Amino acid sequence: MRSTPLLPLVLLLLLNLGRAISNHAVPSSLGGIDMSELEVEMSAGCDPSVAGCEIVEPLVSIELRALDPTTHAPPRPMGGTKATEADALADSFHVWLALPQDSFWVNLAPTESHRVIDSELGRTEVGKVMLDADLALKRTAATLLHPDHDVGAAFWDELYGWVGARPARLCHSFRQWIVPGVATMQITPRDGGAGCDGVKGGGDDGSCRPGALHVLRAPLKVMQEASYASDGAFGFLAADASGAASAMCAGADEGARVKADELFERLVLPALEAAVNESPEYERLRSAYLWRGGGGGDPS
């Protein structure tokens, strides 16, 4: 059997579904990545002897003095389960620090060719990493939606089952955005000073002498277009694409669109988010994101 690239194949499947039900084309708008907003929870630590205290090995630990913005050398991790991966993208620290937060986006959408990436971010390795991850997101979604995949089979079976024999005009745009989840960090003291209790800073009185920043958790979240358009910092990009899709889908079955959206949210999105947080093709994106809190965000 001749192999067919997954992304064109799934778009063909979407198009054929529209034709089979209504001869109505399905727009192929895709989505993007937005790292502009960062939410951080600071952990004060706990006593391991106390019930309920969870011991978490950091993903990466960094000496705070290495995060000096006046130096030109990239900081180096001092430990952590993802220290090697983070070290390979240590230059990300200076990118997140130097560029404005409103430049931390990429938008691979056929209808938005003039708004693919910020011009400054596009000159950096972080920008390349984000574009590569955005393309991987389309491929992963295509794989999951393929009827030969367990997730895709369940999606199409339920959707066809819901449509049944009635004449429904289906037109739907599947777009997703990768955004930061809630990162968890902890600051530990140096030279035997008192605990910092999650406070970045301190003076020479011994109350808090921060020595290291530990990134304990740094999940990434995948959002459907509609949710991102209402909550995301660059929702106008999603809103513009959604408007174009709505114009193309004028007269389509609204109930079928809502049902497809619900099925995608319930069946496909959790698997897609798991892939972004666990699969090797997103490793470099996750590594660049580890520097987001230290470089582009203030954990205090």
Side-chain angles (χ1 to χ4, degrees):
M1 178 181 294
R2 185 180 64 180
S3 63
T4 305
L6 282 176
L7 185 56
L9 176 60
V10 77
L11 294 178
L12 180 62
L13 287 170
L14 292 172
L15 182 60
N16 285 339
L17 177 61
R19 285 174 176 165
I21 298 176
S22 65
N23 292 322
H24 199 90
V26 179
S28 58
S29 300
L30 298 176
I33 300 177
D34 175 8
M35 292 289 184
S36 63
E37 295 183 347
L38 181 68
E39 185 176 355
V40 174
E41 289 182 351
M42 296 305 298
S43 171
C46 59
D47 185 343
S49 64
V50 177
C53 180
E54 180 185 5
I55 305 300
V56 178
E57 188 172 0
L59 297 173
V60 64
S61 298
I62 311 160
E63 275 194 294
L64 284 177
R65 58 188 173 188
L67 301 179
D68 183 353
T70 63
T71 65
H72 298 289
R76 298 301 179 192
M78 54 186 287
T81 61
K82 295 296 181 180
T84 300
E85 294 86 344
D87 188 50
L89 280 167
D91 284 338
S92 303
F93 166 76
H94 289 293
V95 175
W96 298 129
L97 190 69
L99 297 184
Q101 292 185 5
D102 61 9
S103 69
F104 299 158
W105 58 270
V106 298
N107 175 49
L108 285 179
T111 59
E112 299 285 335
S113 59
H114 60 295
R115 294 192 293 195
V116 172
I117 188 170
D118 177 85
S119 60
E120 293 298 319
L121 185 67
R123 297 186 177 96
T124 70
E125 184 66 15
V126 171
K128 181 181 184 299
V129 166
M130 291 175 66
L131 285 172
D132 287 345
D134 196 11
L135 181 59
L137 182 68
K138 318 318 178 199
R139 291 171 172 161
T140 304
T143 299
L144 292 171
L145 275 171
H146 195 289
D148 288 344
H149 193 284
D150 290 344
V151 173
F155 175 89
W156 294 114
D157 286 348
E158 284 204 42
L159 186 57
Y160 274 121
W162 184 88
V163 172
R166 67 188 182 87
R169 301 180 63 192
L170 176 62
C171 183
H172 191 75
S173 174
F174 296 104
R175 285 174 53 96
Q176 304 85 43
W177 287 78
I178 298 175
V179 299
V182 179
T184 305
M185 302 184 186
Q186 184 177 12
I187 292 175
T188 54
R190 60 181 171 86
D191 302 331
C196 292
D197 293 331
V199 179
K200 181 179 179 180
D204 296 327
D205 58 0
S207 60
C208 177
R209 304 180 67 187
L213 172 68
H214 310 277
V215 181
L216 306 181
R217 295 184 180 90
L220 292 168
K221 184 166 60 171
V222 180
M223 301 178 69
Q224 274 279 67
E225 176 97 313
S227 298
Y228 177 77
S230 59
D231 298 335
F234 293 94
F236 66 88
L237 294 175
D240 287 352
S242 293
S246 297
M248 292 177 67
C249 292
D253 189 303
E254 178 65 14
R257 184 197 66 77
V258 171
K259 182 62 177 180
D261 217 30
E262 180 269 320
L263 288 174
F264 193 95
E265 187 91 19
R266 175 163 56 88
L267 299 175
V268 184
L269 204 62
L272 191 56
E273 185 167 285
V276 168
N277 283 285
E278 299 168 12
S279 295
E281 56 263 46
Y282 300 96
E283 184 72 63
R284 282 168 59 80
L285 178 67
R286 296 193 297 266
S287 297
Y289 176 49
L290 288 175
W291 294 103
R292 178 72 173 88
D298 182 3
S300 60

